[in-house]
């Protein structure tokens, strides 16, 4: 099976209680020097909270106060990815207006448009396409935004991606096209859409796992 969504970043795990004590010199930052880092982490958390609530005005305020529009966790999961995945049009617009990179990828190779597509969020799909996001961008398994939308049976999103220039027959890394996967999976509405848009039916029964 393949991973569809990730959700927002989780807080870092605390240090195990049985960890060896720190020796003098192990910590290079004084309490005063660490304050900017703490403020940065608080700002990042506030930004993700605002995006999750789709509070566009608060997102704008945080960005104006110095929050990074391309803020990401250790896996590359950005605020824009979260906005796209949650269908947060207001926060998505605020981040894009502040220069957030729509082509940025997380550790799974997913762009914001991919996250919106696989989550079935037509509103943020439309917003990202209007901002110039690449509908043919692929994840680390070679699956395009269209492939993901079809595999999750989001027909309206698939149609929007095709209207936006997505390559209809683009296969995943195993050579399976969206129509081949939909046919093997019995996704009738997806099959009908792809067939009506001229998808190739060569070897259409093959399924990628």
């Amino acid at each position: 099976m393949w991973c569809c969504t990730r959700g927002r970043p989780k807080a870092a795990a605390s240090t195990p209680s049985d960890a060896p004590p720190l020796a003098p010199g192990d910590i290079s930052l004084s309490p005063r020097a660490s304050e900017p880092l703490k403020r940065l982490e608080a700002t990042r958390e506030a930004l993700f909270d605002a995006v999750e609530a789709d509070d566009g005005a608060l997102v704008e305020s945080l960005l104006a106060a110095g929050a990074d529009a391309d803020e990401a966790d250790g896996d590359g999961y950005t605020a824009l990815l979260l906005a796209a995945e949650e269908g947060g049009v207001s926060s998505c617009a605020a981040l894009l207006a502040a220069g957030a990179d729509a082509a940025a990828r997380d550790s799974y190779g997913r762009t914001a448009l991919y996250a919106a597509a696989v989550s079935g969020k037509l509103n943020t799909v439309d917003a990202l396409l209007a901002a110039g996001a690449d509908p043919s961008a692929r994840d680390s398994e070679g699956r395009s935004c269209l492939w993901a939308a079809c595999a999750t049976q989001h027909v309206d999103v698939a149609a929007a991606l095709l209207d936006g220039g997505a390559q209809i027959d683009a296969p995943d890394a195993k050579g399976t096209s969206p129509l081949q996967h939909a046919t093997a999976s019995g996704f009738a509405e997806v099959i009908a859409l792809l067939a009506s848009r001229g998808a190739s039916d060569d070897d259409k029964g093959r399924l990628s796992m």
Side-chain angles (χ1 to χ4, degrees):
M1 297 300 292
W2 57 286
C3 176
C4 296
T5 58
R6 287 193 57 236
R8 70 172 298 181
K10 303 297 189 297
S14 59
T15 303
S17 59
D18 59 351
L22 293 172
D26 284 350
I27 300 176
S28 59
L29 291 177
S30 68
R32 179 174 295 180
S34 68
E35 285 304 312
L37 179 59
K38 291 179 180 179
R39 287 196 297 270
L40 178 62
E41 291 173 345
T43 300
R44 177 173 58 191
E45 185 66 20
L47 178 62
F48 274 94
D49 285 343
V51 168
E52 196 163 38
D54 195 27
D55 189 336
L58 180 54
V59 171
E60 290 178 358
S61 296
L62 290 166
L63 293 170
D68 186 353
D70 287 319
E71 189 64 65
D73 71 352
D75 290 323
Y77 188 83
T78 65
L80 185 59
L81 266 160
L82 176 61
E85 191 168 72
E86 295 289 326
V89 175
S90 295
S91 52
C92 186
L95 290 162
L96 290 169
D101 184 6
R105 298 171 182 271
D106 67 6
S107 60
Y108 293 93
R110 306 182 324 152
T111 62
L113 183 57
Y114 186 106
V118 78
S119 301
K121 304 301 184 182
L122 181 60
N123 50 2
T124 44
V125 165
D126 287 339
L128 288 160
L129 286 172
D134 182 6
S136 297
R138 304 187 186 198
D139 70 3
S140 57
E141 298 295 328
R143 296 162 178 140
S144 68
C145 300
L146 177 63
W147 202 105
C150 290
T152 46
Q153 301 186 72
H154 298 306
V155 179
D156 54 348
V157 169
L161 291 167
L162 289 168
D163 291 341
Q167 300 171 8
I168 194 167
D169 292 320
D172 66 0
K174 296 182 179 180
T176 303
S177 73
L179 180 58
Q180 289 165 354
H181 184 274
T183 300
S185 302
F187 298 158
E189 292 185 8
V190 175
I191 294 168
L193 170 67
L194 295 173
S196 72
R197 298 296 188 94
S200 171
D201 63 357
D202 292 342
D203 192 21
K204 65 182 181 180
R206 185 171 49 188
L207 173 62
S208 172
M209 298 297 290

